[in-house]
Amino acid sequence: MITPEQQERPASGTGPKREGVGRRTVVLRRGGLSLRFDVRTLAVCAVLAAACLLVALVSLASGDFTLSLPQVVTAIFDGGDFAHTVVVEWRMPRILAALVFGAALAVSGAIFQSLTRNFLASPDIIGFSTGSYTGALVVIIVIGGSYLEVAAGALVGGMATAAVVFLLTARRSLQGFRLIVVGIAVSAMLASLNTWMMLRAELDVAMTAAVWGAGTLNGIGWQQTGTACLAVAVLLVLLGQLVRPLRQLEMGDDAARSLGVPAEPVRLGLVLIGVALVATVSAAAGPITFVALAAPQIARRLTKTSGLSLAPAALLGALLLSASDYAAQHALSTALPVGVVTVVIGGCYLAWMLVHEARKRL
């Protein structure tokens, strides 16, 4: 049975708030199971999911071989003509990768922003994306490995960068600007190392690495998409086991421990999942920036919740990256890497966010 209920939330306060005054929720009860859903969050998720579907269909229909939306739907289920090859074999891996990678980046950003309680703490700002890129470059330029070896290199690079950043902060907590400042410094040093490696590499290898390093979905096929999507799905399942402890950590370590949450092991697990999500995307498409920064914050403003909601953030990340990839392919006469578009969008959003936060403190 579904029953609407009204909840109350404090009007002010500096700590994490629970959903409250004016927040309408729906409770689903079945047997001994009871699930509570926020109505506004559900509505936002529904709109974002519909927008993702629309962008996916438009992307599948657009290109040198233009199709109508009914033709796209028909081509998906009809395996006997050229339209099916264009839609399913050529275009669908790319749009699926954009949706899944955007969701993975947004969830990773939401994890780090929640742990640090700072909107600047996204993987691309604090160096984890750059570290993943460094690990992948080592495999591509020095070793010349396969896709799976590149993926392993990106994962190792991201994890090693995270370990260095956390050690240099010399604090048990991930809160504060110190982590961000150290992450920016480490990211700058790694970016210099990446440039040096490309300058020392063979010309054709360096050109390929440079294009890939801008963050691109060009040439991605079912092999890369399938492997990356499987890895993201496994990581999201693991994250599902830590969602409740993550909510409790938002109230502070002492409050979480009083509820039986082992703060440090849970935090370590969340960090590993967040870095692995970024590394998975970087291995397949290169370091795509600013989606992890912007998507969780925009989703929070749309849902008007006090904390970060993973589902709206994931859907918004999927929408941002898929729409950016469509713009990268069709907005200009020349196709661009999707990372170029996300940098423009994310840079504008970051500038607006910094100005907005500065005005709040005046």
Side-chain angles (χ1 to χ4, degrees):
M1 182 177 63
I2 300 177
T3 60
E5 296 184 358
Q6 295 290 335
Q7 302 295 319
E8 295 187 355
R9 179 176 64 183
S12 62
T14 57
K17 307 183 188 77
R18 295 188 178 274
E19 293 164 342
V21 175
R23 301 293 298 190
R24 191 161 185 245
T25 62
V26 172
V27 178
L28 176 64
R29 294 189 178 92
R30 176 79 57 162
L33 180 65
S34 178
L35 298 176
R36 186 185 302 272
F37 301 98
D38 179 70
V39 172
R40 184 183 180 91
T41 300
L42 284 177
V44 169
C45 288
V47 172
L48 291 175
C52 289
L53 178 60
L54 178 61
V55 171
L57 291 174
V58 172
S59 298
L60 291 174
S62 303
D64 294 335
F65 186 70
T66 306
L67 299 168
S68 65
L69 293 184
Q71 287 176 322
V72 169
V73 177
T74 302
I76 293 175
F77 300 101
D78 184 3
D81 58 3
F82 181 67
H84 175 82
T85 301
V86 171
V87 171
V88 176
E89 299 297 330
W90 296 352
R91 295 176 181 172
M92 190 174 289
R94 180 170 185 148
I95 186 59
L96 180 60
L99 293 170
V100 174
F101 293 174
L105 291 172
V107 169
S108 179
I111 290 173
F112 288 109
Q113 290 174 14
S114 177
L115 289 176
T116 61
R117 304 173 196 173
N118 193 304
F119 74 92
L120 287 176
S122 69
D124 41 2
I125 296 294
I126 55 181
F128 301 157
S129 297
T130 309
S132 296
Y133 182 34
T134 302
L137 277 182
V138 170
V139 176
I140 293 174
I141 296 176
V142 179
I143 302 176
S146 63
Y147 167 71
L148 291 179
E149 291 171 332
V150 172
L155 181 60
V156 171
M159 294 295 183
T161 304
V164 170
V165 170
F166 294 147
L167 288 174
L168 289 178
T169 56
R171 299 177 64 180
R172 294 177 60 83
S173 175
L174 300 182
Q175 302 173 18
F177 277 97
R178 187 172 184 177
L179 176 72
I180 297 171
V181 173
V182 171
I184 292 173
V186 172
S187 179
M189 290 187 290
L190 289 174
S192 299
L193 175 61
N194 295 343
T195 302
W196 178 81
M197 282 193 293
M198 285 193 290
L199 290 175
R200 300 281 297 179
E202 297 292 335
L203 181 60
D204 55 343
V205 177
M207 291 293 293
T208 301
V211 173
W212 178 79
T216 180
L217 297 174
N218 294 338
I220 194 167
W222 277 117
Q223 179 184 5
Q224 296 93 332
T225 300
T227 303
C229 288
L230 178 61
V232 170
V234 171
L235 291 170
L236 292 180
V237 170
L238 295 175
L239 177 61
Q241 309 302 313
L242 298 176
V243 169
R244 184 180 293 274
L246 175 62
R247 304 289 186 207
Q248 293 166 338
L249 282 175
E250 290 179 349
M251 299 184 295
D253 286 4
D254 292 338
R257 290 190 184 98
S258 68
L259 296 173
V261 176
E264 295 306 322
V266 168
R267 184 178 286 110
L268 177 61
L270 289 168
V271 168
L272 292 176
I273 291 174
V275 174
L277 287 170
V278 173
T280 300
V281 175
S282 297
I288 300 175
T289 56
F290 283 110
V291 174
L293 172 71
Q297 292 298 318
I298 297 175
R300 183 178 65 84
R301 294 176 183 277
L302 290 175
T303 58
K304 296 188 181 300
T305 55
S306 57
L308 293 172
S309 299
L310 295 182
L315 288 170
L316 187 56
L319 178 61
L320 279 177
L321 189 55
S322 58
S324 297
D325 188 53
Y326 179 83
Q329 292 182 79
H330 305 291
L332 300 176
S333 58
T334 302
L336 298 172
V338 66
V340 175
V341 179
T342 60
V343 164
V344 174
I345 296 174
C348 293
Y349 174 77
L350 178 59
W352 175 84
M353 176 67 77
L354 292 174
V355 171
H356 178 73
E357 291 295 321
R359 287 178 176 174
K360 284 173 60 176
R361 291 181 170 87
L362 295 178

